[in-house]
């Protein structure tokens, strides 16, 4: 049976975050398997929206089991019954959070987008953060609050300058076959790495003063898209450089070899140290807290505002999804909200180039 006549299908871009420890990755697990993905919980919560057509989340960036996300993204369609206006993005985000049944998942913010928008194809940039800790000679020396959130190394220090030098060899457009795990059916292994940085962390708030032997480090990688487990394999090689097992110049040799089965490039950093930090869409950016919806002009028509235009700075106005916001009321509000404006996204060659399918996350 088709959708009711006169019903309107609205598409939304939703930002969400999760601790990946208890999930078998972000993608939904279909069937009777016990393993559950983040998407399963999101779609279960979306059932309470009472959409005419079942709501499916199309995830921007796949992440593996144990990998976390400070901010991932997805698009979804909601088709309400005839005569009912589309949900405002604020109501949609609050409703999803109200019905999420896992405390390790949180919807950050939602935007109304054109019906042909695609969360994976339209992404212009993805940034991953990998966290390291040095000076942890035994597992019980790491704070319980940091376990499953960083890669704890037994070494007391890292040669960070050597790691930074090695990372420079990865920048730019290359064939990253040497850093790709088997099983990713991509058409091309050529990617452009825009940023690869190694820097000391200012310190974990969960580490006591007497535990000053522990030092934390951040590795960040930015590209439009990554190959399967590319970030974790690049991290493992850079850590080998920091530990003195590799010279910085050898990273260039590994890259140019295009051989994923070499002695060093087969090593994969643990999943629990990896975070998807942001997904960006043109001028919308990747930090939902710093983005406001387009306003409406006189007569309810969309004002010709720029994508990502801010009404006020983040320091002046709290985002609608911040912790402490009032819980959403019934899904059928007593008042009829104005239809949410649609954010328009530029589509260029770079966005079109992201249409490669990836089996898993970095």
């Amino acid at each position: 049976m088709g959708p009711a006549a006169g019903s309107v299908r609205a598409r939304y871009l939703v930002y969400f975050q999760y601790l990946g420890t208890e999930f078998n990755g972000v993608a939904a697990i279909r069937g009777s398997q016990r393993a559950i993905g983040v998407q399963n919980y999101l779609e279960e919560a979306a059932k309470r929206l009472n959409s005419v057509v079942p709501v499916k989340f199309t995830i921007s960036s796949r992440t593996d089991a144990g990998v976390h996300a400070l901010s991932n993204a997805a698009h979804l369609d909601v088709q309400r019954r005839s005569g009912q206006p589309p949900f405002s993005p604020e109501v949609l985000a609050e409703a999803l959070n109200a019905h999420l049944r896992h405390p390790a998942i949180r919807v950050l913010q939602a935007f109304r987008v054109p019906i042909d928008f695609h969360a994976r194809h339209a992404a212009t940039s993805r940034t991953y953060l990998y966290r390291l800790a040095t000076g942890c000679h035994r597992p019980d020396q790491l704070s319980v609050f940091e376990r499953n959130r960083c890669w704890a190394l037994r070494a007391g220090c890292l040669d960070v300058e050597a790691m930074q030098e090695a990372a420079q060899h990865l920048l730019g457009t290359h064939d990253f076959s040497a850093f790709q795990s088997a099983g990713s059916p991509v058409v091309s292994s050529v990617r452009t790495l825009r940023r690869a940085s190694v820097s000391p962390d200012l310190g974990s708030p969960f580490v006591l003063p007497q535990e000053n032997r522990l030092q934390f480090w951040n590795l960040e990688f930015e590209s439009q898209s990554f190959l399967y487990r590319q970030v974790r394999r690049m991290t493992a090689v850079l850590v080998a450089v920091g530990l003195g097992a590799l010279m910085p110049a050898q990273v260039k040799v590994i890259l140019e070899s295009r051989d994923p089965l070499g002695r060093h490039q087969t090593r994969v950093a643990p999943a629990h140290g990896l975070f998807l930090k942001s997904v960006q869409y043109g001028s919308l950016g990747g930090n939902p807290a710093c983005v406001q919806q387009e306003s409406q002009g006189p007569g309810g028509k969309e004002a010709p505002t720029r994508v990502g235009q801010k009404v006020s700075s983040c320091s002046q106005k709290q985002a609608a999804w911040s912790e402490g916001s009032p819980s959403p009321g019934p899904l059928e509000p007593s008042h009829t909200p104005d239809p949410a404006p649609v954010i328009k996204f530029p589509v260029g060659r770079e966005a079109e180039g992201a249409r490669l399918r990836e089996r898993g996350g970095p």
Side-chain angles (χ1 to χ4, degrees):
M1 184 176 180
S7 60
V8 178
R9 181 164 59 105
R11 179 161 292 188
Y12 300 88
L13 170 65
V14 173
Y15 289 98
F16 59 99
Q17 63 182 195
Y18 49 89
L19 282 172
T21 306
E22 299 182 21
F23 304 109
N24 192 49
V26 67
I29 305 298
R30 310 297 184 186
S32 59
Q33 297 130 303
R34 296 181 62 185
I36 297 295
V38 174
Q39 185 178 355
N40 291 100
Y41 285 94
L42 290 170
E43 292 180 352
E44 184 68 26
K47 289 180 180 179
R48 303 297 294 272
L49 299 174
N50 296 322
S51 174
V52 174
V53 177
V55 177
K56 299 296 182 184
F57 280 68
T58 299
I59 307 295
S60 164
S61 304
R62 298 282 294 270
T63 57
D64 289 339
V67 176
H68 318 290
L70 296 173
S71 181
N72 202 338
H75 78 252
L76 62 148
D77 294 342
V78 180
Q79 188 156 342
R80 305 191 72 192
R81 293 182 178 87
S82 179
Q84 295 180 332
F87 289 117
S88 71
E90 293 79 12
V91 168
L92 178 81
E94 291 178 0
L96 290 173
N97 276 328
H99 297 297
L100 272 170
R101 299 178 61 187
H102 202 294
I105 309 172
R106 173 181 174 229
V107 173
L108 301 174
Q109 196 170 11
F111 295 93
R112 182 82 182 275
V113 292
I115 204 65
D116 61 349
F117 173 84
H118 198 286
R120 185 169 69 251
H121 300 160
T124 57
S125 176
R126 294 171 173 87
T127 300
Y128 282 86
L129 164 70
Y130 199 98
R131 299 183 67 240
L132 302 170
T134 54
C136 190
H137 303 293
R138 299 191 315 271
D140 62 354
Q141 291 180 316
L142 187 65
S143 166
V144 295
F145 301 104
E146 282 289 2
R147 294 176 187 176
N148 296 320
R149 292 168 177 80
C150 67
W151 181 10
L153 302 171
R154 299 179 64 181
C157 62
L158 291 170
D159 188 342
V160 176
E161 290 187 3
M163 295 173 69
Q164 292 170 337
E165 180 183 345
Q168 296 302 306
H169 295 299
L170 301 174
L171 292 175
T173 302
H174 307 284
D175 185 332
F176 283 94
S177 297
F179 296 97
Q180 174 180 321
S181 288
S184 181
V186 294
V187 177
S188 171
S189 53
V190 174
R191 294 292 186 272
T192 299
L193 190 63
R194 301 169 182 164
R195 183 160 58 92
S197 64
V198 184
S199 60
D201 198 333
L202 296 178
S204 168
F206 306 118
V207 175
L208 300 173
Q210 59 267 33
E211 297 179 304
N212 56 10
R213 66 183 179 281
L214 296 178
Q215 175 71 55
F216 290 84
W217 310 89
N218 293 334
L219 281 68
E220 289 198 19
F221 304 92
E222 180 188 356
S223 177
Q224 183 176 1
S225 63
F226 291 89
L227 300 172
Y228 183 44
R229 292 185 176 174
Q230 178 186 343
V231 171
R232 290 165 60 190
R233 289 170 66 124
M234 290 190 301
T235 296
V237 166
L238 292 180
V239 168
V241 172
L243 296 175
L246 281 173
M247 298 297 291
Q250 289 180 270
V251 173
K252 182 179 181 181
V253 175
I254 291 173
L255 176 66
E256 294 176 347
S257 74
R258 303 181 183 179
D259 178 14
L261 301 178
R263 174 185 174 187
H264 295 284
Q265 53 267 42
T266 53
R267 299 175 182 176
V268 181
H272 56 253
L274 182 61
F275 294 75
L276 173 58
K277 185 176 180 180
S278 67
V279 182
Q280 296 185 345
Y281 296 93
S283 57
L284 178 65
N287 182 1
C290 293
V291 183
Q292 297 291 341
Q293 291 282 53
E294 290 188 58
S295 60
Q296 288 190 345
K301 296 182 180 180
E302 287 184 26
T305 53
R306 298 185 302 274
V307 176
Q309 182 179 15
K310 301 176 185 178
V311 177
S312 61
S313 67
C314 294
S315 61
Q316 295 172 328
K317 184 174 181 179
Q318 291 291 332
W321 50 263
S322 61
E323 291 182 356
S325 298
S327 58
L331 295 182
E332 301 295 336
S334 57
H335 65 284
T336 302
D338 294 329
V342 178
I343 292 181
K344 298 176 176 60
F345 291 84
V347 178
R349 293 183 178 178
E350 190 173 32
E352 289 295 323
R355 298 186 184 275
L356 298 175
R357 298 296 189 269
E358 298 183 20
R359 175 173 177 248

